[in-house]
Amino acid sequence: MNKMEDLKSPQKRYRPEIEGLRMITTLLIVIYHIWLGRVSGGIDVFFVLSGYLITMSLLSKIERTGTVQFGDFLVGLARRLFPQALLVIIVIGSLALLFLPQLEWSSIITHMTASTLYFENWRLALDAVDYLARDHAVSPFQHFWSLGVQVQFYVLWPILITSVYFLARKVLKTPVRKTFLMALFVVFICSISYSIYQTEVNQPWAYFDTFARMWEFSIGGMLALVLPYLLMNKWVNTVLGWLGLSIICLTGFLLPVSTGFPGYLALVPISGAILVLLASENSTKFGVDRLLSVKPLTFLGGLTYGIYLWHWPLLIFYKAIVDVETVPILAGSVMVMAAVLLSLLSTKLLEAPILKLDKKRMKGRLVTVLCGLLMVTGSSILAVTTYIEKVKADALVVSHDEKNFPGAKAIYENSEPPKGIAPIPASIDIQSDLPSFYENPNCFAKNSVNVKKCSYGVLTNPSYTVALVGGSHSGHWFPALEVLAEDLNFQIDVYNQDGCRFTNEDPEHHLTKACLNWNENLIEHLKEDPPDLVFTTSTLNKRKTIPKGYINQWKELEGITTVFAVRDNPRMKKKIPSCLEKKKNPLRCAIPRDKGVSKEVPWENTAGIPSNVIFADLTDYFCDQTTCFSVIGNIIVYRDNNHITATYAKTLALPLKEPLEQALESLEGF
């Protein structure tokens, strides 16, 4: 063929080397998860392989029949993906009630539902940008995010191919495969541009965003179309194949996959996949495909789906039961073997019989089986949800009277709280024990530069206006201020952005650009509409001095308003609710005082503090001279390891009243 009028049709054929590559990639994912606590980049390779295989399959189908037969395609997809996935979902949901703390149950049911409906990636994306959700433990369903992305791709791809086929044949009168290649190139350019941008401005969201990942599938699709034309010297081909496999294996070691992907860095493992596919297309005696095609790898390659599904919950439940952060070599090896065994059983006993059902002659029976699996999963979700709600309802029956649950009042009055009473809030519902302003999503910003204000307390003729400013460590004082507002006759203006301190510097790069811009806008807003008092935190963690960025912000308000700066609360070693569930004895969840707060008072060691700042230190209502407590006055102090429960914060109103009242009264002298 001297002048090519069209591309060759991609031929759908068995590729043993792809099965071997799938197994090696899966093994990398498992090893990195279990022993290295990192992400390998293997998922990106899977996305390329999926794009490659599905493009060959669908394009061959539409060229033969003129249609992709969308209904049959979805049924075939469901019978391949649903059986094992739904089984694993049911098992995880059941085991979660047995082995995971009640603290995580509500989150578990949310992710169980998202995984069943294949939108776990979007659920995780929302959690990634939701500061309040970041404190949840890693979900045993988290690995379903990649399956969600793949299924969404599988739904979109037939639509794209059908549209391009119609456009090429009926409108443009151009060769189908060339037209589709151009369409894939457009998808690649648009998606990778969006991916690079989104990774830069909001990487946690981008990591789970289907549209930020679509370019990886499109590369696989383009490879399916052009590989037959990419012929090279045998020795070059051999070297490139082994180089590609090396790149795939080393990506997780060399690159920050979890924090840098899926932007341009994802091109690294993808380039490895491209080289392996290219080398395998033109096989040589010492080529990488010879290794990838050996029978043990191809056999295990058929189990990779199940291995991927089972390995993650095995890891999460092992860590939860044994209460460890790292996995020993022996335990990890047993985990890998267990994942292979479970995959073999679920593949042979569940998936294989369903795959044997003929799609055409037994379509009705096949749909019935798949719907039955969905109904069992849905019933499991309903049963777990019902049980969780019952436990929550039982927990709410507990009387929250001040006598039995004095909280900080017990320290203030130097009294002994009643013994033998289970502390509140109940662990199952403690994550929702938040300041009331969180009930209104318009009252707090999320990774935004826009300043939002909501007013509470005395709204009619208040004597003072108090601006509560900063992130969650300022915001968790709101319940105490809300209690005092009526007594001291002040209005509370909430300016909150979680994960964003009241500062104009971030030398450790813990804050987002949006946070720093929000701080700039907030200062301008406070200057234009100054409150009588700005309530914020004065310290950070165990630092012996006040951060310079804090002081810079306070200086901006000098001569405009007074700053009431409260010392930050101690940060505990473990998440207190889950620790209390495991240890039972609150003292086993306590920490030494010098591990929670600095021995020195930070503002006594800091120069350049402006004259408009009044400090308050309530550390003694979290710690005595030696110990920082997890439970005080029968109330759990923290809903994680550093945020105060709203229930305990309310009891801090009593010790907070005196310094706050003095600060407000001092304003009258100005």
Side-chain angles (χ1 to χ4, degrees), residues 58-234:
L58 291 177
L59 207 50
S60 297
K61 180 82 170 179
I62 201 169
E63 287 187 323
R64 289 195 317 271
T65 65
T67 177
V68 296
Q69 297 177 325
F70 195 61
D72 287 346
F73 171 75
L74 290 182
V75 171
L77 184 67
R79 73 172 186 162
R80 175 69 181 90
L81 297 180
F82 278 13
Q84 290 199 74
L86 296 179
L87 172 64
V88 173
I89 287 171
I90 293 170
V91 171
I92 293 175
S94 303
L95 293 179
L97 297 183
L98 295 174
F99 298 114
L100 298 185
Q102 292 185 0
L103 171 71
E104 301 297 335
W105 284 5
S106 295
S107 173
I108 288 295
I109 202 65
T110 299
H111 288 280
M112 186 176 182
T113 304
S115 298
T116 302
L117 300 177
Y118 287 94
F119 66 86
E120 173 68 354
N121 60 310
W122 296 112
R123 178 67 265 168
L124 289 170
L126 291 171
D127 286 353
V129 298
D130 183 353
Y131 184 85
L132 297 177
R134 294 180 199 172
D135 293 317
H136 290 301
V138 177
S139 168
F141 292 102
Q142 183 165 307
H143 62 317
F144 275 87
W145 78 267
S146 63
L147 302 182
V149 172
Q150 282 187 281
V151 168
Q152 292 155 35
F153 157 73
Y154 289 145
V155 172
L156 291 173
W157 222 239
I159 297 173
L160 176 64
I161 287 180
T162 301
S163 301
V164 171
Y165 182 81
F166 175 82
L167 187 67
R169 285 292 176 90
K170 305 296 183 182
V171 180
L172 300 177
K173 309 295 184 182
T174 53
V176 173
R177 290 182 292 281
K178 282 188 175 180
T179 307
F180 188 56
L181 182 62
M182 291 304 299
L184 290 180
F185 185 72
V186 171
V187 171
F188 169 77
I189 293 297
C190 293
S191 177
I192 196 171
S193 299
Y194 169 73
S195 180
I196 292 170
Y197 166 76
Q198 195 65 264
T199 301
E200 174 67 24
V201 300
N202 194 355
Q203 188 273 336
W205 175 278
Y207 193 87
F208 302 110
D209 187 338
T210 300
F211 302 105
R213 295 280 186 174
M214 199 58 65
W215 64 275
E216 299 177 310
F217 295 99
S218 69
I219 284 181
M222 288 189 285
L223 279 175
L225 292 168
V226 303
L227 271 185
Y229 299 98
L230 302 179
L231 304 176
M232 290 183 297
N233 176 277
K234 288 185 177 182

Side-chain angles (χ1 to χ4, degrees), residues 219-506:
I219 284 181
M222 288 189 285
L223 279 175
L225 292 168
V226 303
L227 271 185
Y229 299 98
L230 302 179
L231 304 176
M232 290 183 297
N233 176 277
K234 288 185 177 182
W235 288 108
V236 172
N237 203 60
T238 300
V239 171
L240 289 181
W242 287 105
L243 175 63
L245 186 61
S246 300
I247 291 173
I248 292 171
C249 293
L250 294 174
T251 293
F253 281 110
L254 303 176
L255 297 177
V257 177
S258 62
T259 57
F261 279 37
Y264 59 87
L265 285 179
L267 285 167
V268 175
I270 286 174
S271 67
I274 292 172
L275 293 177
V276 171
L277 288 173
L278 176 60
S280 300
E281 184 74 18
N282 304 282
S283 181
T284 61
K285 184 177 180 180
F286 301 105
V288 71
D289 57 302
R290 296 301 178 99
L291 168 67
L292 298 177
S293 300
V294 297
K295 288 188 177 181
L297 278 182
T298 57
F299 171 76
L300 291 172
L303 302 177
T304 53
Y305 181 54
I307 293 172
Y308 179 79
L309 286 172
W310 286 110
H311 90 280
W312 184 254
L314 286 172
L315 174 62
I316 297 302
F317 286 118
Y318 171 82
K319 287 185 174 182
I321 295 168
V322 183
D323 194 19
V324 294
E325 290 299 323
T326 57
V327 181
I329 295 294
L330 179 59
S333 301
V334 172
M335 210 177 297
V336 173
M337 289 187 286
V340 173
L341 178 60
L342 288 169
S343 175
L344 181 63
L345 292 174
S346 56
T347 300
K348 300 301 181 183
L349 300 181
L350 180 62
E351 180 185 286
I354 293 176
L355 288 177
K356 288 178 181 177
L357 295 176
D358 188 273
K359 283 194 297 184
K360 294 182 178 179
R361 291 186 299 170
M362 307 181 71
K363 188 174 182 179
R365 184 177 175 184
L366 180 60
V367 171
T368 301
V369 170
L370 295 175
C371 288
L373 286 170
L374 277 173
M375 287 181 65
V376 171
T377 310
S379 300
S380 300
I381 293 173
L382 181 61
V384 173
T385 304
T386 302
Y387 180 71
I388 290 173
E389 292 304 317
K390 181 181 182 302
V391 174
K392 282 185 177 182
D394 292 343
L396 291 175
V397 173
V398 178
S399 173
H400 294 184
D401 62 278
E402 192 175 294
K403 179 182 177 181
N404 289 324
F405 305 97
K409 185 179 180 182
I411 297 175
Y412 187 82
E413 297 181 346
N414 195 25
S415 60
E416 188 73 23
K419 297 185 181 297
I421 297 176
I424 60 170
S427 179
I428 194 170
D429 209 29
I430 200 169
Q431 292 284 7
S432 59
D433 191 39
L434 302 168
S436 58
F437 70 80
Y438 282 111
E439 296 172 3
N440 185 348
N442 295 319
C443 292
F444 58 97
K446 291 183 179 181
N447 198 34
S448 172
V449 301
N450 300 319
V451 176
K452 296 181 179 181
K453 181 182 81 171
C454 282
S455 298
Y456 298 87
V458 178
L459 302 180
T460 305
N461 298 321
S463 300
Y464 312 98
T465 300
V466 176
L468 179 61
V469 171
S472 57
H473 274 243
S474 294
H476 63 199
W477 288 94
F478 177 81
L481 292 176
E482 201 171 26
V483 171
L484 294 174
E486 292 291 335
D487 192 14
L488 301 180
N489 195 37
F490 61 81
Q491 174 178 306
I492 311 167
D493 289 342
V494 176
Y495 299 91
N496 179 269
Q497 175 150 210
D498 283 342
C500 184
R501 301 183 287 271
F502 188 44
T503 182
N504 69 352
E505 287 190 2
D506 181 30

